[in-house]
């Protein structure tokens, strides 16, 4: 981590208030120095063989599994989430490290492209590391988001300067220690601590590319700053994600899927389902089963796997979630289950909550709650379900349950970057080979898959010409050249097009 000079910040555990540690905060000048250090390291790193970078990621994969207890403790300590949600993060960075370690070579290999003139021009596409990637991440997945997005950036030959959310710096720092022990050059990956407007802005001021994850409001500010510098950026933003349960859905699995998708990480998940649309033919069967299953969820703050639902991260988050529920109830929504703050379990614990009769005038109807709260609605036809699902400014994730062919056809009509058929969110998220990201106000760019690593490169075309230049030879008039070229273009059109 970079030794900041802007004072210290004390970090407390949200579930028991114990002091986790004091970390130095960075000033904008510190951020500039962190970039300079990472840049020097990146110049050497980008020349290392990909096989060397790959071996480090494979060692890191094993180290994460071997040290998972420490990582789980760190994640739970600074977020208050359940241990099973923390384990999702450990599993995710392993999946990502393995995927990109194995696939980077084919993604980054120089590709032959069609040349201008057959036989005379050869053209190739190369992927050149951007330099130093600036990363800004939120608090909800403090291990997964910084590390899984850093892995492809590093494999592509870049350095990284990360600003984690100031509430959750420790998980990423623990993972960074393992990366360095696995062989990553110490200066290549810098972590700076501080707030968004000052330190986050300084990241954008110095980066060659920005990888941002956070709210749509902040994403727009980041996009504006990146545009002013003409640097590329990728933004993974908020959502108000719908689930549709068709009348031929496998009911038991759909109930379980809705639980997992609505309440994983106590709903503090960008892909979380906050709108649940159920076909009228099964509504009266589905809803009581769903409510019963919610009543059976274990809530707790222990450092073991006994609780499914953990704490929210902070008083601010608790206020937002309970504010959304209070507002909805005061305007006529019915609470089918949950709805209460549970200080008897932990200071920021909120019950998993299901609401009915949610209407347009309520804050949570369209606004992202980012907590364990789902609104349930009835629909009458597939067309109506699609229209309701798409009636949002967001487009991050969606889920459709039903007979596979019908559900898949409907999934293709949803305006979202990922749509899960007969799953809530994990099927698309964990398909690391497939790109993830948002439509509409849910993001720009993609993580995972080829797109998730190529974005960290500048694409360069090297075209080589043999025997003659592509211009009129000295003795030829412009007119004669145009006539010759016209004949050539006609012949070219007749030749088989290979791509
Ligand atoms: P946020 O936008 O407030 O903060 C995210 C990060 O941006 C933090 O590190 C913060 O310090 C920084 N930041 C804040 N203001 C900044 C500025 N002016 N310039 C630069 N950086 C700044 O987000 P949050 O509320 O902490 O996180 C929750 C949001 O993140 C939700 O909307 C959630 O949906 C979204 N999210 C999206 C994904 C995804 O993959 N699409 C993943 C996780 C979270």
């Amino acid at each position: 981590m970079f030794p900041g000079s802007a004072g210290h910040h004390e970090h407390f555990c949200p579930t028991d208030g114990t002091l986790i540690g004091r970390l130095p905060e960075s000033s904008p000048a510190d951020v500039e120095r962190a970039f300079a250090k990472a840049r020097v390291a990146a110049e050497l790193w980008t020349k290392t063989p990909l096989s060397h970078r790959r071996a480090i990621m494979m060692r890191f994969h094993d180290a994460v599994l071997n040290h998972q207890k420490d990582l789980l403790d760190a994640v739970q300590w600074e977020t208050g989430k359940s241990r099973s949600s923390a384990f999702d993060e450990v599993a995710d960075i392993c999946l990502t490290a393995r995927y990109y370690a194995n696939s980077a070579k084919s993604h980054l290999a120089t590709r032959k492209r069609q040349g201008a003139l057959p036989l005379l021009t050869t053209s190739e596409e190369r992927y050149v590391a951007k330099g130093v990637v600036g990363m800004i991440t939120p608090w909800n997945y403090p291990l997964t988001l910084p590390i899984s997005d850093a892995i492809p950036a590093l494999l592509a030959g870049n350095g990284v300067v990360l600003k984690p959310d100031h509430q959750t710096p420790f998980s990423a720092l623990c993972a960074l220690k393992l990366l360095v022990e696995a062989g990553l050059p110490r200066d290549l990956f810098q972590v700076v601590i501080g707030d968004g407007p000052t330190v986050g802005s300084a990241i954008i001021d110095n980066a060659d590319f920005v990888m941002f994850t956070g709210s749509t409001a902040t994403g727009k500010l980041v996009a504006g700053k990146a545009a002013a510098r003409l640097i590329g950026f990728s933004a993974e933003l908020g959502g108000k994600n719908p689930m549709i349960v068709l009348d031929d859905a496998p009911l038991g699995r759909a109930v379980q899927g809705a639980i997992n998708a609505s309440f994983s990480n106590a709903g503090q998940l960008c892909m979380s389902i906050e709108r649940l649309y159920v076909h009228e033919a099964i509504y009266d069967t589905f809803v009581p089963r769903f409510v019963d299953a919610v009543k059976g969820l274990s809530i707790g703050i222990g450092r073991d796997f006994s609780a499914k639902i953990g704490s929210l991260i902070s008083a601010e988050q608790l206020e937002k979630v309970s504010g959304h529920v209070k507002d909805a109830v005061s305007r006529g929504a019915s609470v089918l289950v949950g709805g209460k703050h549970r200080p008897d379990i932990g200071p920021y614990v909120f019950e998993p909550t299901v609401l009915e009769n949610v209407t347009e005038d309520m804050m949570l109807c369209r606004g992202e709650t980012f907590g364990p709260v789902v609104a349930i609605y009835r629909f009458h036809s597939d067309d109506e379900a699609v229209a309701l699902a798409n009636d949002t400014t967001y487009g991050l994730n969606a889920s459709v349950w039903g007979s596979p062919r019908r559900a898949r056809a409907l999934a293709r009509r949803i305006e979202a970057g990922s749509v899960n058929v007969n799953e809530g969110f994990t099927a698309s998220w964990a398909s690391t080979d497939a790109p993830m990201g948002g439509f509409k106000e849910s993001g720009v760019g993609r993580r995972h898959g080829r797109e998730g690593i190529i974005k960290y490169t500048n694409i360069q075309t090297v075209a080589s010409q043999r025997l003659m230049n592509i211009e009129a030879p000295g003795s030829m008039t412009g007119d004669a050249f145009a006539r010759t070229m016209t004949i050539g273009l006609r012949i070219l059109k007749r030749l088989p097009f290979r791509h």
Side-chain angles (χ1 to χ4, degrees):
M1 147 174 196
F2 198 79
S5 65
H8 284 78
H9 192 268
E10 292 190 329
H11 299 266
F12 296 95
C13 170
T15 48
D16 61 16
T18 53
L19 179 69
I20 306 174
R22 280 176 96 234
L23 290 179
E25 299 244 332
S26 291
S27 66
D30 294 328
V31 176
E32 201 178 328
R33 281 193 286 274
F35 269 91
K37 245 183 164 176
R39 210 172 290 287
V40 171
E43 275 165 23
L44 285 178
W45 174 250
T46 203
K47 294 183 186 121
T48 58
L50 191 51
S51 56
H52 172 73
R53 295 178 226 157
R54 174 187 189 275
I56 292 172
M57 288 306 163
M58 284 303 205
R59 285 197 291 273
F60 173 65
H61 172 282
D62 294 347
V64 167
L65 291 180
N66 293 339
H67 293 270
Q68 64 172 283
K69 186 187 170 305
D70 299 340
L71 291 168
L72 293 173
D73 286 345
V75 171
Q76 278 200 292
W77 221 341
E78 65 183 357
T79 62
K81 67 171 66 182
S82 70
R83 203 157 182 87
S84 43
S85 288
F87 182 76
D88 292 345
E89 301 207 47
V90 164
D92 181 75
I93 55 176
C94 289
L95 276 176
T96 310
R98 184 188 57 101
Y99 169 72
Y100 278 116
N102 284 327
S103 64
K105 190 171 170 197
S106 70
H107 293 318
L108 298 172
T110 297
R111 299 180 153 203
K112 275 208 160 48
R113 307 306 299 245
Q114 219 169 65
L117 297 177
L119 306 177
L120 299 181
T121 323
T122 55
S123 187
E124 64 179 29
E125 179 180 314
R126 297 183 64 244
Y127 305 99
V128 183
K130 289 266 184 192
V132 182
V133 172
M135 292 183 51
I136 302 173
T137 53
W139 44 263
N140 63 327
Y141 280 82
L143 188 59
T144 282
L145 293 171
I147 302 304
S148 288
D149 283 339
I151 287 167
L154 294 165
L155 276 165
N158 297 285
V160 169
V161 177
L162 162 72
K163 189 204 88 60
D165 188 276
H166 73 281
Q167 298 167 91
T168 53
F170 290 100
S171 307
L173 286 171
C174 291
L176 178 54
K177 180 171 176 285
L178 296 180
L179 268 169
V180 170
E181 285 169 8
L184 196 78
R186 193 170 287 274
D187 287 347
L188 189 68
F189 189 159
Q190 302 285 337
V191 179
V192 293
I193 311 287
D195 72 356
T198 315
V199 178
S201 293
I203 290 272
I204 307 163
D205 289 341
N206 290 280
D208 300 311
F209 181 87
V210 175
M211 176 66 228
F212 174 79
T213 307
S215 63
T216 295
T218 311
K220 288 179 182 178
L221 297 176
V222 170
K225 286 199 79 134
R229 290 200 54 229
L230 285 181
I231 54 166
F233 71 98
S234 189
E236 299 289 343
L237 309 176
K240 185 74 187 174
N241 308 305
M243 173 183 285
I244 296 171
V245 187
L246 299 170
D247 52 354
D248 56 3
L251 265 200
R253 276 188 58 211
V255 166
Q256 218 30 61
I259 295 279
N260 197 41
S262 307
F263 303 123
S264 278
N265 202 23
Q268 301 168 116
L269 166 70
C270 55
M271 300 176 80
S272 194
I273 296 299
E274 297 197 358
R275 299 180 288 143
L276 180 48
Y277 299 105
V278 182
H279 193 282
E280 59 179 347
I282 54 163
Y283 190 90
D284 294 332
T285 318
F286 180 91
V287 172
R289 282 179 71 171
F290 180 54
V291 167
D292 276 352
V294 177
K295 283 181 186 154
L297 287 172
S298 49
I299 312 175
I301 56 167
R303 302 267 149 77
D304 56 25
F305 284 93
S306 58
K308 169 87 181 159
I309 310 283
S311 173
L312 299 178
I313 187 156
S314 61
E316 191 188 354
Q317 194 60 18
L318 173 66
E319 199 178 310
K320 184 178 174 205
V321 172
S322 55
H324 269 201
V325 173
K326 271 187 207 141
D327 168 75
V329 170
S330 73
R331 294 169 195 273
S334 334
V335 178
L336 299 185
V337 57
K340 288 198 281 299
H341 173 208
R342 292 293 299 274
D344 53 314
I345 300 176
Y348 309 133
V349 170
F350 197 85
E351 287 176 342
T353 301
V354 182
L355 299 176
E356 210 180 28
N357 302 322
V358 167
T359 49
E360 281 287 338
D361 54 336
M362 302 172 189
M363 284 195 293
L364 62 67
C365 182
R366 289 181 177 275
E368 184 186 36
T369 304
F370 217 53
V373 180
V374 64
I376 190 159
Y377 308 86
R378 204 183 282 264
F379 71 87
H380 311 288
S381 68
D382 290 12
D383 286 349
E384 187 192 10
V386 170
L388 289 166
N390 289 340
D391 185 16
T392 170
T393 54
Y394 292 113
L396 189 61
N397 181 47
S399 164
V400 183
W401 293 76
S403 58
R405 184 190 284 251
R406 179 176 166 205
R408 236 185 345 260
L410 201 136
R412 294 189 179 121
R413 297 168 63 195
I414 310 269
E415 296 160 357
S418 61
V419 189
N420 293 269
V421 173
N422 293 332
E423 232 291 333
F425 69 94
T426 324
S428 61
W429 177 272
S431 299
T432 322
D433 189 36
M436 290 285 314
F439 282 19
K440 301 195 271 190
E441 293 209 346
S442 285
V444 175
R446 293 290 180 268
R447 60 161 60 100
H448 292 177
R450 179 172 173 76
E451 292 75 2
I453 188 165
I454 293 300
K455 71 183 176 189
Y456 294 125
T457 66
N458 285 319
I459 301 179
Q460 180 186 51
T461 296
V462 177
S464 310
Q465 186 65 21
R466 298 193 316 133
L467 300 177
M468 58 171 281
N469 299 351
I470 309 179
E471 61 182 329
S475 55
M476 198 182 242
T477 63
D479 184 34
F481 183 67
R483 272 186 276 114
T484 312
M485 282 301 290
T486 302
I487 295 165
L489 287 166
R490 288 203 168 112
I491 294 169
L492 214 52
K493 184 180 169 240
R494 288 204 189 111
L495 295 178
F497 187 80
R498 285 202 191 83
H499 201 251

